[in-house]
Amino acid sequence: MMQQRMRNLIQTLSEHMFEREQTIALCVLAGVAGANSFLYGAPGTAKSLISRRVAAGFEVSEYFEYLMNRFSTPEELFGPVSLKALKLDQYTRKTEHYLPKAEFAFLDEIWKASPAILNTLLTLLNEKTFKNGDVLQQVPLKVLISASNEIPQAEQGLDALYDRFILRLQVQPIQAQQHFFALLKAAPSSSKLKVSEDLKISRDELLAWREQIYQVVLPDNVLYAFSQIRAQLQQQFADQQIYISDRRWQRIAYLIKAAAFLNGRDMVIISDLFIVKHCLWNQLEDVAFVEQILDQVLLRGLYHDLALDDLIHKKEQLEQEILNYFYYTDDVYYSYLIKGQDYLHAVTNLDHHYQDQALYLALDKMGTNKDFFAIDAQGEEIRGIVCNFNGTRQCTLKGGYYGLEEVVTPSIKYAKGSLRQHLKPEQQQQLQQQLAEIKAQLLQQQHSLSQRFNTQKADFTSIFVADQQIQSLIQATEQQLQYYALQLQDCVRLEQLCQA
């Protein structure tokens, strides 16, 4: 199988390369996809050794490696001027064993080179050609890895060249203590690694694979995820603005297709897109921001089109309608029409002169802060007591023979939350039907997500994606399935409520 072969190849290339397996795997992926890689890291983090190891995994006749500095000359990269040709009034270079003849190249400290070198390099990467005197020479370069302990800053004229490095990887010093101890005990890693021919990627295979990768499918949910990532990057943020060219997006998509292909699949799945985090950052401060966007988009990748939030909103609205239908959502008071005006009934025990005295409080005064007088059953004002609702539903009484104060509550006919007395069966049936429709949609979406999850879960594991990211995708999907189950349980509760 393709995946197992790639796994074995990467294990071989990563032998004794502590905490470099993922970097090597991604560089191999970029090599297959023809995408240039940039390794960022401090001196001594094995960047050049990584390049040599990766080169050992490909059938390469010409490997070129160069450490650049501000004194580097074009002759050191592109070959010396031919003196023999110069005598014939021709300015050509002897490019054998130099970059224009290399199939695999590693350029260390690339940003330290002079503008003349970088401009020529840009043309070489763009067109895969090198202008050697009057001759436009085709360049056989198939894989390029560059490295530096610095990142080109904006407005230095390096944006165009930097944009050609699709894969950007941070190479950190060894973190785990056991790996650090193993490094101290180990002999220096060999850069000349022997890779068996059945693992090594041949020239013919590489050319054939690059054609076959075009046939890998980008399904709708992956395209949608790309659009969401792009949209969020295009939004104007105060401190974070990341520009990704159309050319870079296209090559990122091809890189992701290559990842699916090398994992033995003919279709990209959502877990492949975690690789994109290594393609979108320009400066170090972008890294965390890009990872945050990817987590927001990719962890919803399997169910972005299921619109659970809309269903929950509909269910919550329906629940309110059901509660309003079956139960009183507010206290209902006894109301009496006296002399053409509505009054509420209350009983006072302000003092012994008003023991169990019936009062009738004007309904329109409830909730206000106005003083008023209550009336008796005959509609006569009771002047001895001043009433005020104080903006509430409880009325404060002041006065009586001793100037006392009491708070009374109007007589409640139906308390809030009590079952309504008169229900319409046809309205009840309509509510039950609406609930059944929402439940059916929830079940359909739950089944769809479960089916997608069960179909793709086995393929989530990737040579090029960290296990931690795969687990986060699995957990997010399982949590969403549990969320569907909770919503369906809630539908059962509402069904029981309707039947009651």
Side-chain angles (χ1 to χ4, degrees), residues 154 159 168 230-244 248 280-287 289-290 293:
D159 293 350
R168 298 164 181 191
R230 181 171 180 252
Q232 292 200 40
L233 289 176
Q234 286 178 337
Q235 290 179 11
Q236 297 299 312
F237 294 88
D239 301 320
Q240 215 80 40
Q241 295 185 23
I242 303 175
Y243 170 72
I244 308 296
R248 195 155 140 207
L280 298 181
W281 62 273
N282 293 325
Q283 303 297 323
L284 287 181
E285 55 266 26
D286 300 337
V287 174
F289 177 68
V290 167
I293 288 178

Side-chain angles (χ1 to χ4, degrees), residues 33-93:
N36 306 316
S37 304
F38 171 62
L39 307 181
Y40 170 78
T45 50
K47 298 187 294 296
S48 58
L49 184 56
I50 289 171
S51 175
R52 295 170 199 151
R53 285 294 185 94
V54 172
F58 292 81
E59 182 185 2
V60 176
S61 59
E62 286 287 340
Y63 175 84
F64 180 80
E65 181 176 318
Y66 185 72
L67 174 62
M68 296 184 177
N69 58 68
R70 59 195 181 97
F71 300 111
S72 297
T73 63
E75 285 74 19
E76 293 169 310
L77 263 78
F78 307 117
V81 176
S82 170
L83 296 178
K84 184 176 181 181
L86 200 59
K87 292 178 180 178
L88 300 175
D89 202 22
Q90 296 176 350
Y91 190 87
T92 59
R93 296 185 181 276

Side-chain angles (χ1 to χ4, degrees), residues 28 50 64 116 122 137 176 192 323 366 379 384 401 431 451 456 462 491:
V28 169
I50 289 171
F64 180 80
L122 177 61
Q137 183 176 319
K192 295 182 179 180
L323 291 175
M366 179 178 275
Y401 286 92
L431 292 172
Q451 191 174 39
Q456 297 187 24
S462 171
C491 286

Side-chain angles (χ1 to χ4, degrees), residues 9-22:
L9 173 61
I10 290 163
Q11 287 176 349
T12 300
L13 300 180
S14 305
E15 186 179 1
H16 303 307
M17 296 285 289
F18 305 107
E19 299 181 15
R20 301 292 180 262
E21 297 88 348
Q22 195 71 24

Side-chain angles (χ1 to χ4, degrees), residues 338-339 341 343 354 357-360 362 365 371-387:
I338 302 174
K339 293 184 177 181
Q341 186 175 352
Y343 286 86
Y354 291 100
Q357 171 78 43
L359 302 177
Y360 293 89
K365 296 296 191 295
D371 289 341
F372 63 96
F373 294 114
I375 64 173
D376 59 19
Q378 287 71 42
E380 300 297 325
E381 287 186 342
I382 303 173
R383 291 276 178 172
I385 301 174
V386 177
C387 309

Side-chain angles (χ1 to χ4, degrees), residues 70-310:
R70 59 195 181 97
F71 300 111
S72 297
T73 63
E75 285 74 19
E76 293 169 310
L77 263 78
F78 307 117
V81 176
S82 170
L83 296 178
K84 184 176 181 181
L86 200 59
K87 292 178 180 178
L88 300 175
D89 202 22
Q90 296 176 350
Y91 190 87
T92 59
R93 296 185 181 276
K94 300 171 66 177
T95 56
E96 288 76 10
H97 309 304
Y98 287 89
L99 183 59
K101 289 291 187 179
E103 290 182 300
F104 197 113
F106 175 66
L107 302 179
D108 201 1
E109 297 303 336
I110 184 171
W111 312 119
K112 289 183 168 62
S114 67
I117 291 177
L118 294 178
N119 287 337
T120 304
L121 183 60
L122 177 61
T123 303
L124 188 145
L125 294 180
N126 273 349
E127 311 297 336
K128 288 294 189 292
T129 59
F130 174 70
K131 195 170 188 310
N132 193 4
D134 296 330
V135 177
L136 196 61
Q137 183 176 319
Q138 292 296 317
V139 173
L141 186 66
K142 293 181 175 62
V143 181
L144 173 64
I145 299 177
S146 69
S148 180
N149 58 12
E150 60 187 15
I151 295 173
Q153 300 300 310
E155 299 179 358
Q156 287 188 346
L158 299 174
D159 293 350
L161 181 58
Y162 190 34
D163 191 60
R164 268 62 177 184
F165 292 96
I166 306 304
L167 193 68
R168 298 164 181 191
L169 303 171
Q170 295 184 73
V171 185
Q172 304 282 359
I174 289 174
Q175 303 295 313
Q177 189 175 42
Q178 69 270 26
H179 293 155
F180 177 65
F181 288 164
L183 176 70
L184 297 182
K185 296 176 183 177
S189 297
S190 172
S191 59
K192 295 182 179 180
L193 191 68
K194 184 66 176 177
V195 178
S196 62
E197 294 302 319
D198 59 327
L199 289 181
K200 187 177 292 190
I201 301 170
S202 70
R203 291 188 187 87
D204 291 341
E205 281 181 321
L206 186 59
L207 291 173
W209 289 357
R210 288 182 177 179
E211 288 299 319
Q212 293 169 28
I213 288 169
Y214 283 113
Q215 307 307 315
V216 174
V217 176
L218 288 172
D220 289 344
N221 68 319
V222 170
L223 291 172
Y224 178 82
F226 265 117
S227 70
Q228 289 296 297
I229 295 168
R230 181 171 180 252
Q232 292 200 40
L233 289 176
Q234 286 178 337
Q235 290 179 11
Q236 297 299 312
F237 294 88
D239 301 320
Q240 215 80 40
Q241 295 185 23
I242 303 175
Y243 170 72
I244 308 296
S245 67
D246 290 344
R247 174 185 56 246
R248 195 155 140 207
W249 278 120
Q250 186 183 43
R251 294 182 181 178
I252 289 171
Y254 185 79
L255 182 72
I256 301 306
K257 285 184 176 184
F261 177 82
L262 295 181
N263 276 296
R265 286 183 273 107
D266 59 3
M267 183 177 71
V268 174
I269 59 176
I270 204 70
S271 59
D272 293 322
L273 294 187
F274 282 108
I275 299 168
V276 174
K277 79 171 189 174
H278 303 294
C279 305
L280 298 181
W281 62 273
N282 293 325
Q283 303 297 323
L284 287 181
E285 55 266 26
D286 300 337
V287 174
F289 177 68
V290 167
E291 289 180 351
Q292 181 182 5
I293 288 178
L294 286 176
D295 286 344
Q296 291 173 356
V297 173
L298 300 187
L299 296 185
R300 292 175 53 89
L302 286 181
Y303 54 87
H304 75 275
D305 58 330
L306 297 183
L308 176 60
D309 292 341
D310 291 341

